[in-house]
Amino acid sequence: MIDNKKKNVFISEEELARQREFTALARELLYERFGDTPKAFVHTYGCQGNVADSERIKGRLAEMGFTFCDKAEDADFVLFNTCAVREHAEDRVFGNVGALKPIKEKNGNNMIIALCGCMTQQAHIAEKLRKSYDYVNLVFGTFAVYRLPELLYSVLRKRKRVFDVQNESGRIAEGIPAVRDRAFRAWLPIMYGCNNFCTYCIVPHVRGRERSREPEKILAEARELIAAGAKEITLLGQNVNSYGKEPDCGVNFSELLRRINALPGDFIIRFMTSHPKDCSEELLRTMAACEKVERHLHLPFQSGNDRVLKAMNRGYTAAHYQELCRMAKELMPDIALTGDVIVGFPGETYEEFCDTKRLIEDVEFSSLFTFIYSPRKGTRAAEMADPVPAKEKGVWFRELLAAQEKIAAARNQSLVGKRFRVLIEEREGDLLIGRTSGNFTIKCPGDASLVGSFAEAEITEAGNWVLTGRLV
Ligand code: SAH
Ligand code: SF4
Ligand code: F3S
């Protein structure tokens, strides 16, 4: 039984071998067209899942002989990996695609332009690209990433536009190498897709059904990452807590965490995103018991009102959410909680919005990702009556930001004088930027050689958004 199901989930070895043949063929055509060092510019919009996809896309491109550049102007091949989660995200992509037209004309129209990712998986967007953006050569959806060699080969050989945006049942391609920007911070996808169908959300429509990678494959990749110098591994999925259910791999998310935690090496583990309806006591206890798992839980709640939560199809109540936060704090007194929240869901009243405000005051999030509801074509919420004007929603939105700012400022003040182990991520001017276990950003003076390593920092000053410190 399980085997049959798994066959449908994993892309076959034969197919992957076929793609390797296309890689070699595309390489030759690229050489003829662009010389021996074809350059690619890959730009990623949206979530870490998209970032991880782009790393694998770059892996494919590197196999075809591409090197990478930072500007579209310098590239022979430009790829935008797009996000569809809100209208604003889509508008930005269209604006940037428009800006490519004169760049392409300047380069004698030789440049190849491609779009992929969540936007392209929607029929009306693919149609718009087909009709109104004739200088875009290749459009492929989220299920077609593993076929990129074949698709690019077709573009090069036939000199025709290629669209591959079929809605296939979700599948997993293993064994595609990733090109990562920084070895010390690694994204590790453990599952793809989402089955939750929150009524406002486009993700299940464009990313397909939930499917988990095999635990052995994940552990093997984690070992490789650690050997290559990873200091932070972030496990990725739209709903990581339901890892291991589809297809049943006999290992749940807590068990996967324990197994990764047991790998030797000096590294930390993060994960996102968790869904409150699947966030179990076992998971919280596992976090508390695993020394490599950071003290940070990102747990989107979306609303603090039960009627709205039901209309969103979230599958929990505000009281249940608050209980989870209470339990997390009891088991891990130093835990930092963060969340996502939507203001102005169709039909939400001001009184219902006030329940959301009360929830954030009760939980005391260390930070919050706040969004104004954006209707997404094809979702159930887009069909609901939405009488509150945008201007009014803007007022509520700012009210929520102000409430959260107060909470964060008080919390930040309480951190002054405390010491944290931080992973130094980069250097801006003469300040190092590091992150604590709870995901707080600390800026402190220090040497660039520390980037990518752990250091001890003491907080000396707290602003509303930034903590300043010194290395100890
Ligand atoms: N899978 C994750 C989040 C995915 S999208 C989860 O379930 O938590 C990230 C966030 O974008 C969501 O948590 C939600 O707050 C926001 N979001 C999603 N669709 C939206 C929409 N149509 N309008 C406004 N915000 C939206
Ligand atoms: Fe979207 Fe809900 Fe799935 Fe998150 S859990 S990706 S918000 S449908
Ligand atoms: Fe955006 Fe797709 Fe991620 S819609 S948020 S890039 S899964």
Side-chain angles (χ1 to χ4, degrees):
M1 272 282 288
I2 287 172
D3 251 349
N4 270 337
K5 224 169 159 188
K6 282 192 176 174
K7 261 189 204 147
N8 292 331
V9 171
F10 297 99
I11 287 163
S12 68
E13 269 311 314
E14 296 79 53
E15 177 57 26
L16 293 173
R18 222 180 121 248
Q19 293 303 324
R20 280 193 289 276
E21 285 169 23
F22 280 115
T23 299
L25 293 170
R27 201 184 169 110
E28 279 172 31
L29 294 183
L30 284 164
Y31 180 83
E32 280 169 24
R33 181 147 162 190
F34 299 116
D36 54 4
T37 52
K39 287 198 186 61
F41 170 68
V42 177
H43 190 70
T44 310
Y45 302 80
C47 65
Q48 295 338 323
N50 249 19
V51 173
D53 278 351
S54 288
E55 291 180 341
R56 281 173 165 76
I57 288 171
K58 281 174 140 182
R60 278 288 192 235
L61 294 173
E63 287 176 335
M64 289 180 228
F66 279 106
T67 56
F68 300 97
C69 57
D70 303 325
K71 282 199 302 229
E73 287 85 336
D74 302 331
D76 302 306
F77 178 65
V78 174
L79 174 71
F80 288 170
N81 188 5
T82 64
C83 170
V85 80
R86 283 170 292 275
E87 191 180 354
H88 176 70
E90 294 192 340
D91 290 346
R92 258 179 57 213
V93 170
F94 278 120
N96 291 350
V97 176
L100 289 177
K101 192 175 185 195
I103 298 174
K104 178 163 176 164
E105 278 165 2
K106 211 167 133 193
N107 122 333
N109 286 317
N110 204 27
M111 172 190 272
I112 296 174
I113 298 178
L115 259 75
C116 67
C118 296
M119 266 174 84
T120 63
Q121 198 63 55
Q122 304 170 91
H124 69 283
I125 300 278
E127 200 42 40
K128 181 167 169 179
L129 290 167
R130 205 189 290 274
K131 279 208 181 118
S132 313
Y133 294 83
D134 62 356
Y135 56 95
V136 172
N137 308 82
L138 169 62
V139 175
F140 60 101
T142 59
F143 304 113
V145 167
Y146 77 92
R147 290 199 287 272
L148 176 59
E150 181 176 0
L151 298 174
L152 191 54
Y153 173 74
S154 295
V155 171
L156 289 160
R157 215 192 87 119
K158 299 182 186 147
R159 295 213 168 223
K160 258 191 1 199
R161 304 176 79 198
V162 173
F163 279 68
D164 185 347
V165 289
Q166 305 153 53
N167 196 350
E168 298 160 60
S169 67
R171 283 185 292 173
I172 295 178
E174 290 291 355
I176 301 181
V179 170
R180 302 173 199 268
D181 289 341
R182 289 181 290 189
F184 66 90
R185 279 189 91 187
W187 311 114
L188 178 47
I190 62 168
M191 48 119 51
Y192 303 96
C194 180
N195 284 350
N196 287 325
F197 285 94
C198 301
T199 53
Y200 51 82
C201 185
I202 195 70
V203 171
H205 304 265
V206 294
R207 285 276 168 182
R209 296 300 72 75
E210 196 173 294
R211 55 224 186 259
S212 295
R213 293 178 71 191
E214 292 173 309
E216 301 76 35
K217 293 280 189 333
I218 297 169
L219 283 162
E221 190 171 345
R223 279 192 206 97
E224 275 167 31
L225 291 169
I226 297 160
K231 294 281 180 266
E232 175 189 83
I233 295 180
T234 303
L235 309 178
L236 296 178
Q238 286 301 343
N239 181 6
V240 287
N241 323 135
S242 64
Y243 172 78
K245 290 183 189 159
E246 289 291 335
D248 182 358
C249 39
V251 170
N252 69 9
F253 182 56
S254 297
E255 176 59 20
L256 184 71
L257 269 184
R258 285 190 286 268
R259 291 192 189 177
I260 298 175
N261 188 69
L263 296 175
D266 185 17
F267 66 96
I268 56 176
I269 305 168
R270 298 184 188 275
F271 56 88
M272 63 203 278
T273 300
S274 302
H275 193 298
K277 89 177 156 51
D278 302 304
C279 180
S280 60
E281 182 172 345
E282 184 195 5
L283 173 60
L284 297 177
R285 290 195 181 278
T286 303
M287 283 181 79
C290 290
E291 75 287 354
K292 286 172 184 148
V293 176
E294 293 291 65
R295 292 291 189 258
H296 172 216
L297 181 61
H298 180 61
L299 197 59
F301 58 98
Q302 315 300 359
S303 166
N305 176 273
D306 288 346
R307 190 203 66 80
V308 175
L309 284 170
K310 192 146 192 255
M312 288 175 161
N313 190 32
R314 289 289 290 178
Y316 54 87
T317 60
H320 176 72
Y321 183 87
Q322 281 161 292
E323 173 56 22
L324 284 174
C325 295
R326 197 200 51 73
M327 201 193 300
K329 284 181 188 173
E330 195 180 292
L331 290 166
M332 296 165 278
D334 55 345
I335 193 153
L337 296 167
T338 58
D340 292 350
V341 53
I342 296 176
V343 173
F345 182 79
E348 184 177 48
T349 64
Y350 183 70
E351 286 67 35
E352 289 169 338
F353 161 76
C354 287
D355 285 341
T356 298
K357 226 166 49 175
R358 274 190 284 277
L359 185 140
I360 71 159
E361 279 156 1
D362 175 75
V363 173
E364 297 191 327
F365 292 98
S366 62
S367 67
L368 211 55
F369 298 87
T370 318
F371 307 105
I372 294 188
Y373 169 73
S374 169
R376 306 283 66 212
K377 202 179 159 112
T379 62
R380 269 156 60 200
E383 307 299 318
M384 297 177 189
D386 190 5
V388 176
K391 205 170 154 205
E392 179 72 12
K393 291 185 184 182
V395 173
W396 302 359
F397 182 76
R398 285 187 292 278
E399 223 177 290
L400 196 68
L401 288 187
Q404 173 58 24
E405 205 166 312
K406 236 190 202 163
I407 296 163
R411 194 277 331 276
N412 282 357
Q413 279 307 326
S414 75
L415 297 177
V416 174
K418 293 207 167 121
R419 287 185 177 189
F420 293 96
R421 186 186 193 225
V422 293
L423 176 59
I424 307 290
E425 288 176 359
E426 56 184 318
R427 193 163 186 254
E428 233 179 55
D430 23 314
L431 289 178
L432 294 174
I433 303 181
R435 254 170 344 122
T436 68
S437 177
N439 218 26
F440 304 124
T441 303
I442 301 184
K443 293 190 170 182
C444 41
D447 196 79
S449 65
L450 287 170
V451 172
S453 56
F454 292 107
E456 189 90 358
E458 183 182 297
I459 313 278
T460 51
E461 217 180 298
N464 281 2
W465 304 109
V466 189
L467 298 166
T468 315
R470 61 180 184 89
L471 295 179
V472 290

